[in-house]
Amino acid sequence: MEMLKRASTAVLAILCSLWFVSPVMAESDVAVGGSAQARLDFRVEIPTVLFLQLGSGGAVIDRITFTVNEVPPTPIQGVSSGGNPVPVTARGLVPTGNTITLTADSSIAMTDGTNSVPFTEVSWSAAGDFSGGTFTGVAGQQLDQFTDSGNRTGTYTFSYANSTYRPTGTYDGQVTYTLSSP
Amino acid sequence: VINVLKRMELSNWGRRVLPALLLVSLATQAEDSCAQGQVVAQERVDIAIRSPERLILRVGSQGGRIDVIQFQVGSLPGSGPIPGVSSGGNPVTVMAKSKKISGRMLLTADSSIPLTNALGDTIPFGEVSWTGGGDMPSGVFGGQHGQILFSSTAKNVMGTMSFSYANRSYVPAGTYIGQVLFTLSAP
């Protein structure tokens, strides 16, 4: 009987102590007095993203037309079917220290079906974040290189050198620009 | 209470157990005597047991798990905010309760440590906002200690949070992690 009484006393004491002790859990938290706390973790995943636009946006490919109404060697300024000068935008999200490179492929010469004009006859002046230059008539000509993420904007204004006497005709060609990051 | 008990003729068992019974009792008054043998004296004893002040806070899943809010950025800055997805329930549940506490209940956030990637690049928590539901107001993290999210005289606040990443700045690509500490207090 005495042992039973002692056991009952012990159980009561435990129950009493449990009543006053706060169960503390995170990240739901119960606190007696003071404050209760909970946490949330956040994760932002940013992959490498590149964006390039020359001329009009979307699927439209602008055409730069040089109307040669002067004899060589008078340069001829080009006129775009889109905006003039030609707007250029190169945007990129890349890891710290990584490069973003703008290249051009002008390896296929302009042609009228019979005769051709190499793209080395075409040059451009640039404004904003980009550099001017002359096409080299090769694939993978580096035009500009940037480091780290950023939004680079500028314009191109094209001109035809008109350095040589050529057969009259309409010469068409296309340059492909590529923005890349390793 | 002890003096009263001493003045009662109680068994040893009664002397040990009665105080405990009195403590756990929610009765605010006790006039009954509890004794074995002859009662030689009686006195009235008022006993008041105050339930302890309790605060309960839950943000996200219940229990010890810390939920992760993940933002998968698939577009360039300026293309619009990126909604977050919680590893727990969506939207994130917020429950704040106070028991036996008078006055206001205050929920604050500490977002002073920015999100950081493996190279040490950072995104401030000011880029993260939330849309509140229920009793939870909407807001943007302040990137600071002790930002007050709400102050309420209610005893129960139930709401939700739907998080967004603003995606308005060109930052290095990578995986950024960070943590916000929510604190419920009754100042």
Side-chain angles (χ1 to χ4, degrees), chain A residues 2 5-6 8-9 12 16 19 23 25-49 51 91-96 149-151, chain B residues 13 17 24 52-59 62-73 76 115 121 125 141 163 170-184:
Chain A
E2 185 63 26
K5 290 175 180 175
R6 287 182 179 176
S8 301
T9 305
L12 272 172
C16 287
W19 178 261
M25 299 180 295
E27 294 335 292
S28 55
D29 188 13
V30 181
V32 176
S35 59
Q37 293 186 317
R39 294 166 289 180
L40 275 183
D41 286 339
F42 289 83
R43 179 189 299 263
V44 180
E45 299 269 4
I46 301 178
T48 295
V49 180
F51 171 86
R91 297 172 179 150
L93 294 170
V94 296
T96 294
S149 299
N151 177 18
Chain B
W13 184 84
V17 175
V24 299
E53 296 183 342
R54 302 178 77 194
L55 292 168
I56 299 171
L57 175 62
R58 173 185 164 192
V59 181
Q62 199 165 12
R65 192 175 62 191
I66 303 174
D67 289 347
V68 181
I69 313 300
Q70 187 151 339
F71 305 97
Q72 290 279 3
V73 178
L76 288 163
L115 297 136
D121 302 310
F125 265 106
F141 286 124
F163 293 95
Y170 281 84
V171 297
T175 299
Y176 296 76
I177 58 174
Q179 189 175 81
V180 173
L181 176 66
F182 298 88
T183 300
L184 183 68

Side-chain angles (χ1 to χ4, degrees), chain A residues 42, chain B residues 111-115 123-129 140-143 178-180:
Chain A
F42 289 83
Chain B
S111 59
S112 57
I113 301 174
L115 297 136
I123 297 175
F125 265 106
E127 293 292 304
V128 178
S129 62
V140 181
F141 286 124
Q179 189 175 81
V180 173

Side-chain angles (χ1 to χ4, degrees), chain A residues 78-124:
Chain A
V79 177
S80 171
S81 60
N84 287 281
V86 177
V88 184
T89 303
R91 297 172 179 150
L93 294 170
V94 296
T96 294
N98 278 32
T99 56
I100 299 173
T101 305
L102 178 63
T103 59
D105 179 354
S106 59
S107 59
I108 301 175
M110 294 177 280
T111 179
D112 66 354
T114 305
N115 304 297
S116 63
V117 176
F119 267 105
T120 52
E121 290 290 299
V122 178
S123 61
W124 67 94

